[in-house]
Amino acid sequence: MKWRLSQMKIVTIIPAFNEEKTVDSVVKGALEHGDVILVDDGSTDRTGAIAESAGARVLRHRKNMGKGAALKTGIKEALKWEYHLIVFMDADGQHDTFLIPLFAEAADGADFIIGSRFMGDSCDSMPIQRKLSNRITTWILRFATGYRITDSQSGFRAIKAEHAKIMLDIPYNDYVYESETICEISRHRLRIAEVPITCNYGDEKSYIQLGDVFRYILFIMRLFTRKLSLKPV
């Protein structure tokens, strides 16, 4: 189904945890292209209140449940309304909201769109450890899914609302959720595309713990097992 860009109803889902310094500008920028649902994932600062004042529809978790859980909460809310496209972006100011129309344009030929930092100039300023881990994970997901993607770890993404329900079935609630999303898209044989994005790296915080690393290693091992166990037709 195709829509004119001006007729497309867009909602941006923003998961947020203690991002009171940047959330106002992120919400206001995203509102220029449609509605905004912000999921306050147990913040202990004024993130939710600031987002609400900026114009976002705010949903709150009483405690921090993880990015995957926040995204699923946002999707459930978005599916109550008649949106055409659901955009996902972070609250820390990394993503440039003026690029949201690129995702809408790409939705004419794809069901799921990833904003790739490796198609633009952002990978030049990406911290080296992040660049390395992204390259490795992207290679593994390309192997597991067959998609010729360049940036599997980008949090700036979009999906046609008609397909978003499949993202609710993903069992992970931590950052593994975003990698498993690509596998879920592959299992449903949806069309995937990438658009070039810029990214602003500053003093963003990392909430990844040692336990998260072990869980991600287990996830990668399951990917290999899943791929190698497939029998040729």
Side-chain angles (χ1 to χ4, degrees):
M1 181 177 181
K2 293 186 176 182
W3 312 279
R4 290 182 179 178
L5 189 56
S6 60
Q7 297 174 327
M8 186 177 289
K9 291 184 65 177
I10 299 172
V11 61
T12 300
I13 295 176
I14 305 173
F17 178 63
N18 291 344
E19 298 291 358
E20 63 180 9
K21 293 181 180 179
T22 54
V23 70
D24 180 78
S25 60
V26 172
V27 168
K28 288 177 178 176
L31 281 170
E32 294 181 9
H33 308 285
D35 294 337
V36 172
I37 297 172
L38 182 132
V39 182
D40 183 352
D41 191 28
S43 296
T44 56
D45 63 6
R46 298 183 62 249
T47 293
I50 293 171
E52 204 162 40
S53 295
R57 188 184 318 160
V58 176
L59 308 176
R60 291 176 170 86
H61 290 169
R62 291 188 176 182
K63 62 179 182 179
N64 183 257
M65 298 173 63
K67 187 176 184 180
L71 290 172
K72 284 185 276 189
T73 294
I75 292 168
K76 288 176 186 176
E77 177 65 21
L79 290 178
K80 296 177 183 178
W81 309 85
E82 295 182 353
Y83 294 112
H84 297 129
L85 188 71
I86 299 175
V87 176
F88 308 98
M89 66 185 306
D90 296 336
D92 59 6
Q94 275 195 50
H95 303 143
D96 292 314
T97 56
F98 68 83
L99 296 173
I100 289 175
L102 290 181
F103 293 83
E105 291 169 4
D108 259 350
D111 304 304
F112 184 75
I113 304 100
I114 299 173
S116 173
R117 295 160 289 185
F118 293 91
M119 293 175 66
D121 299 325
S122 290
C123 65
D124 295 335
S125 57
M126 184 184 294
I128 186 65
Q129 68 275 14
R130 182 175 297 184
K131 187 183 296 187
L132 179 61
S133 64
N134 196 332
R135 292 289 195 188
I136 294 171
T137 304
T138 297
W139 180 86
I140 292 169
L141 284 167
R142 285 171 62 139
F143 172 75
T145 65
Y147 288 132
R148 306 299 291 177
I149 56 177
T150 63
D151 191 350
S152 67
Q153 301 305 295
S154 173
F156 203 177
R157 302 172 165 195
I159 190 170
K160 285 182 176 175
E162 64 193 273
H163 302 300
K165 190 175 180 181
I166 68 174
M167 296 179 67
L168 299 177
D169 299 327
I170 298 171
Y172 300 100
N173 284 331
D174 56 13
Y175 73 103
V176 175
Y177 178 87
E178 291 180 309
S179 294
E180 182 61 24
T181 296
I182 297 174
C183 296
E184 193 69 14
I185 296 298
S186 173
R187 281 193 288 271
H188 285 80
R189 299 183 179 181
L190 300 184
R191 299 168 300 169
I192 197 167
E194 289 184 311
V195 294
I197 62 168
T198 52
C199 206
N200 309 304
Y201 297 105
D203 299 324
E204 64 272 5
K205 301 174 289 293
S206 175
Y207 298 103
I208 298 173
Q209 305 296 323
L210 184 59
D212 297 320
V213 175
F214 284 125
R215 281 191 291 274
Y216 197 76
I217 291 172
L218 290 174
F219 167 73
I220 293 299
M221 292 173 64
R222 282 195 291 270
L223 275 186
F224 272 108
T225 303
R226 185 188 306 167
K227 178 68 175 181
L228 295 175
S229 65
L230 294 176
K231 296 181 180 180
V233 179

